[in-house]
Amino acid sequence: MVELLNPILWHSIVAAATFFVLPTLGEIYAERSGILNLGIEGMVIAGAAGSYAIAYQTQDILLGVLFGMFIGGLLATIHAILTITFNRNQVVSGIGLTILGTGLSGLLGDAVIGKALKGIDSTPIPILNDIPTIGEVFFDQNIFVYLSFILAPILWFILYKTRIGILIRSVGENPSASMNQGVNVRLIRYLCVIFGGMMAGLGGAYLSLGWLNFWTDGMTQGRGWIVIALVVVALWNPLGAFIGSYLFGMFDVLQFSFQHEAIPFIFPTGIPPSVLKMMPPVSTILFLAIWGIILSQQKVKSIVGAPSALAKPFED
Amino acid sequence: METVLEMQNVCKTFYGDGVEIHANDNVNFSLKQGEIHALLGENGAGKSTLVNNLFRRPDSGTILLRGKEVELSNPIAALRHGLAIARQDLSKSLIERHTVAENILSISEGFFLSLSRIEREITSALNKYELGDIDPKTKIWKLSGGEKQRVEILKALITDPEIIILDEPTSMLTPPEIVNLFRLLNSLRSQGKSIIIITHHLEEAINYCDRITVMRHGEVVATLETEKEKNAWASEEEGIRHLATLMVGKEVLYELARKKMEPGKLTAEIQGLFATNDMGDTVVNGVSLQLKENQILGIAGISGNGQQELVEAMLHWRKVDSGKVLIHGKKIDDVSIVQDITGKSIREIRDLGIAYIPEDRRKALILDLSIRENLILNSYRKSGGLFIDQKSIVNVTEELISIFKIKTPSALSSVRSLSGGNRQKVVVARETTLAPPEGRKLILIAENPTFGLDVGTTQFVREELLRLREEGAAIMLISSDLTEVLALSDRIAVMYKGKIMGILNSQEATREKVGLMMGGSTLQEAIE
């Protein structure tokens, strides 16, 4: 039987979940401003390859991370130009960028496939680290994980308690009304989309430099797509980003731990890996279906739910 | 009096569907300090475009503020120069999911947001301008149409502007609220503020405004001094007729000849109907009504008081929670048969000869199909079999296009290429020619059938309703335009918060009584 209370297991769940938290936070901001970015997968994977390559060449991890964010931001800028300035279809542009980002990752990472690099060490936080179990699970991680802990509440605060936050929400709800009040709709959307891309790039850098410590083609295994679903699960709330991310982080880790578990009658010789691998996508679909039913109620929709102007072209 | 605002040779052109629309063609307009200036014109005459030029650059022309040329390229620039506008289309001006306070951002500044300070300012401004009690913490979607309109007006006033522009501010207000609004505008005028008001109600322009500018086809036709003109007009009616003539460009018959007719047989009946809106709130609250042949039953009320849900529940577009909709008499001499159509399919209901003109024309037309295809949407099944009888369709639709004077190069043009008025003519042509089953007369449910139409088409639609009445149709006319309801109806039911406040016949119904009932008074209170 797998030791479910094993701190080491939970330590790796936190590490896996952090990968989902960072891009989800970025995509929440993009969608809150009304722009759907389906190119997250491309930005994550290009960020992962780019940051690993640069870090390997220069032996400077920080430079690598910054480059990963730059690549993500650059791809997002293309999305912003197409969808905000030229009002093109957001779905088409996003999918196109995923293809572009995947191709770019092959190019950037070609030279460093399988090359070892010492990644980012964990930095235990004094005092907090000494709390039994919890300290081990949460406070003996690397800087990326702490960043996700800090960023989520900060981004929540900005979104709900500051002027720029309400402008972002207004622009995503009703761009015409915002413009009539003198808000620069396009500027805000540009900032949010580029920020989203940078967060996706940061997620990619974490994947290759902070978590798995290698680069290989297609190493995201489609995790970028799950981010799109996580935004819905999070109800477009930065704090909600944790809920879905940790759930999916759990699936990610447990699929290895449960491989040799036998379930009487169904899988007497252990759960086949293919079944475990199915868990994340199947649970995504289940989640979205349940959420969809709940959110389709008009009364619920007027309180929570997708930003009203999400993915709608806006011409002033 | 000093001129505060001047627009010289302003032009604005829109491009759409392969046509250029000169919405403003060398328009000159001036606003004096301390005046209320009405801007009149038919739909599409360019009124909203003209005032919008103050919030985004026009294609060409100069804008002078107190004699100095200014460039007002965006709403912020306008705000800084002391201009504010309450817009007509609230769906593009208010954010439904946000609170009143979150909607009024123009008074917030800095990085952090102090909603409590904004909320206090809103409450004190509401009191100052006597715009009534609205909790600034309420979400916009919870407000009624009139409350939303007052929030929009407050949003303009709260910046303390020198020039106030109101684009159709009274469409959702009750008559007493309208009186209040003009009292407020009067006091603002006496403080030296200058006000532009766009309106469709000519009597508002005559009674409350200092000057009136009339626009037609993107040009200014005339600017009148109300006081001077009033001396020349024998009565308010003559003034209205004069203004209407200027707006349309030709003499319009403003009177409708409603022949006296005895009410016919009872043909449809609503009994204690309850229905909810999309939010799940009960907005149709035990409505009972009767429709008779040769009669127009008017449903008066400010829009958003459950009228739309009532109609949708009758026609099975919406679930009926309780109550019944009954159709009397299968044949003309067979009064005893009563059919319950509650919960029947839309097709079954329509096949009984029930026609429907919805307010939202997108509910009645498929914009990308041709005029011909749209005209046969409720009769194509008569062809039978797999194929459509092309020949008879061509005959029928060509006839309808000529009878209803639908202006189009061809029956094959898409409905999208038509103007709003001609689109409505397509709907009216199709619905009013719906053939009821043998021996029955038409039942027509018309929901704001003249909404957004110009004077000419409005006249046409109203005459059409009266013609059908004479032919024996039972008509239910839901309208938020009180003038229309009073002019056309034999009986008037006033709806308020989902209830029928009372039913008056055309002799006893006056603008005042109906107006009071639209604001929630009972029939008894209104008579006293």
Side-chain angles (χ1 to χ4, degrees), chain A residues 64-112:
Chain A
V65 173
L66 290 177
F67 185 72
M69 290 175 73
F70 170 75
I71 289 277
L74 191 70
L75 288 173
T77 310
I78 299 176
H79 188 62
I81 293 170
L82 287 172
T83 60
I84 303 169
T85 304
F86 294 108
N87 259 320
R88 294 299 97 194
N89 187 307
Q90 299 181 9
V91 172
V92 174
S93 163
I95 290 177
L97 282 170
T98 288
I99 298 169
L100 176 64
T102 311
L104 201 59
S105 74
L107 181 70
L108 289 169
D110 192 40
V112 289

Side-chain angles (χ1 to χ4, degrees), chain B residues 51-70:
Chain B
V51 294
N52 274 333
N53 284 331
L54 300 168
F55 299 87
R56 55 143 158 70
R57 219 176 280 122
D59 294 341
S60 66
T62 347
I63 291 164
L64 302 171
L65 275 179
R66 297 188 187 280
K68 256 190 276 170
E69 190 175 335
V70 286

Side-chain angles (χ1 to χ4, degrees), chain B residues 122-174:
Chain B
I122 289 170
T123 313
S124 75
L126 279 170
N127 288 334
K128 182 174 146 201
Y129 297 121
E130 293 177 39
L131 283 167
D133 248 349
I134 298 169
D135 181 4
K137 284 194 174 76
T138 322
K139 297 266 198 301
I140 297 292
W141 62 266
K142 285 185 180 162
L143 300 178
S144 71
E147 285 171 324
K148 282 184 200 173
Q149 204 151 40
R150 282 184 275 146
V151 170
E152 179 67 13
I153 294 167
L154 179 76
K155 213 168 86 182
L157 294 180
I158 206 161
T159 56
D160 199 23
E162 284 306 305
I163 297 169
I164 301 155
I165 300 154
L166 304 170
D167 194 348
E168 293 190 32
T170 58
S171 57
M172 309 262 240
L173 301 181
T174 61

Side-chain angles (χ1 to χ4, degrees), chain B residues 138-418:
Chain B
T138 322
K139 297 266 198 301
I140 297 292
W141 62 266
K142 285 185 180 162
L143 300 178
S144 71
E147 285 171 324
K148 282 184 200 173
Q149 204 151 40
R150 282 184 275 146
V151 170
E152 179 67 13
I153 294 167
L154 179 76
K155 213 168 86 182
L157 294 180
I158 206 161
T159 56
D160 199 23
E162 284 306 305
I163 297 169
I164 301 155
I165 300 154
L166 304 170
D167 194 348
E168 293 190 32
T170 58
S171 57
M172 309 262 240
L173 301 181
T174 61
E177 284 173 333
I178 293 174
V179 173
N180 269 340
L181 176 68
F182 279 102
R183 195 186 302 143
L184 166 65
L185 295 184
N186 257 328
S187 85
L188 289 169
R189 168 173 59 185
S190 58
Q191 291 164 30
K193 313 267 183 196
S194 319
I195 297 156
I196 301 174
I197 178 165
I198 297 176
T199 176
H200 274 294
H201 299 281
L202 306 182
E203 69 280 356
E204 288 176 4
I206 292 173
N207 290 331
Y208 301 108
C209 300
D210 302 303
R211 285 200 296 164
I212 299 170
T213 290
V214 182
M215 290 185 75
R216 190 199 316 149
H217 302 317
E219 292 172 30
V220 168
V221 189
T223 299
L224 312 170
E225 308 252 345
T226 319
E227 274 315 307
K228 245 189 246 167
E229 298 295 327
K230 264 187 183 164
N231 297 330
W233 297 330
S235 63
E236 193 183 307
E237 277 72 53
E238 197 190 319
I240 288 178
R241 216 172 299 136
H242 181 203
L243 291 175
T245 310
L246 283 173
M247 280 162 61
V248 186
K250 57 178 188 242
E251 198 71 37
V252 277
L253 276 173
Y254 218 68
E255 287 101 295
L256 286 163
R258 187 159 57 89
K259 285 196 194 125
K260 200 167 158 42
M261 290 197 96
E262 283 306 310
K265 286 192 294 89
L266 178 66
T267 167
E269 196 175 1
I270 305 168
Q271 289 181 345
L273 203 70
F274 284 85
T276 57
N277 66 3
D278 295 341
M279 299 291 178
D281 304 322
T282 302
V283 289
V284 178
N285 235 324
V287 169
S288 298
L289 291 168
Q290 291 187 331
L291 293 180
K292 288 179 181 159
E293 285 173 4
N294 295 89
Q295 221 186 33
I296 297 182
L297 169 69
I299 310 280
I302 306 293
S303 60
N305 273 293
Q307 299 97 319
Q308 202 193 336
E309 287 82 2
L310 169 66
V311 171
E312 287 174 354
M314 283 173 70
L315 296 171
H316 196 71
W317 283 50
R318 182 173 293 279
K319 201 173 140 273
V320 171
D321 289 337
S322 72
K324 273 182 193 162
V325 183
L326 303 173
I327 298 295
H328 288 263
K330 224 177 199 166
K331 290 188 175 164
I332 210 152
D333 49 5
D334 187 3
V335 194
S336 54
I337 290 183
V338 176
Q339 293 187 64
D340 186 353
I341 61 162
T342 326
K344 288 269 172 63
S345 78
I346 294 178
R347 176 173 288 183
E348 281 173 284
I349 294 173
R350 304 271 283 172
D351 281 349
L352 282 166
I354 301 178
Y356 175 39
I357 302 175
E359 175 180 333
D360 185 353
R361 285 191 272 284
R362 281 170 303 183
K363 257 162 90 176
L365 294 167
I366 302 170
L367 293 182
D368 288 311
L369 290 189
S370 68
I371 296 166
R372 175 168 295 154
E373 287 161 325
N374 270 286
L375 281 171
I376 59 151
L377 276 182
N378 58 11
S379 54
Y380 69 94
R381 278 183 297 128
K382 285 186 192 141
S383 286
L386 198 58
F387 298 99
I388 284 176
D389 180 355
Q390 287 295 342
K391 212 169 142 198
S392 71
I393 286 177
V394 172
N395 292 338
V396 168
T397 53
E398 290 300 334
E399 200 187 327
L400 286 178
I401 289 173
S402 77
I403 293 175
F404 286 87
K405 300 187 185 70
I406 298 166
K407 247 195 256 166
T408 172
S410 148
L412 297 173
S413 311
S414 75
V415 167
R416 195 180 285 284
S417 68
L418 297 180

